[in-house]
Amino acid sequence: VADISLIVALDDSAVRLKDALSGMAAGSIAIAIGPEGDFTPAEVEAARASEYSLVSLGKRVLKSDTAGLYVLSVLNYELTR
């Protein structure tokens, strides 16, 4: 079980990744990054039901392999300061 669970989605209700990590100390993090074209609505709802928080990576839509590297960079920056 992770301390925080996040799903990266192109959803209007998603919060910025930085905001989702605000106040969090280093711990275990589960992050779901979907396929190109995003998760299906059913997948997003299943993640929400499993207590995942929706996060956004900003206005640009990244390819799935680039999104993973971006998320790791943000995590490293935000959690090691």
Side-chain angles (χ1 to χ4, degrees):
V1 176
D3 295 326
I4 186 172
S5 299
L6 307 171
I7 180 171
V8 178
L10 302 173
D11 189 287
D12 291 337
S13 66
V15 299
R16 294 183 327 157
L17 177 57
K18 178 179 180 174
D19 294 339
L21 298 173
S22 178
M24 181 179 177
S28 62
I29 302 171
I31 301 178
I33 297 174
E36 293 179 32
D38 204 17
F39 290 102
T40 66
E43 291 169 330
V44 171
E45 286 308 313
R48 282 183 172 162
S50 297
E51 299 185 13
Y52 275 70
S53 299
L54 268 64
V55 295
S56 167
L57 302 183
K59 295 182 181 194
R60 291 188 176 94
V61 177
L62 303 175
K63 294 177 87 176
S64 56
D65 55 346
T66 306
L69 294 172
Y70 176 82
V71 168
L72 290 174
S73 297
V74 172
L75 291 174
N76 184 56
Y77 179 80
E78 291 295 325
L79 300 178
T80 60
R81 296 189 283 150

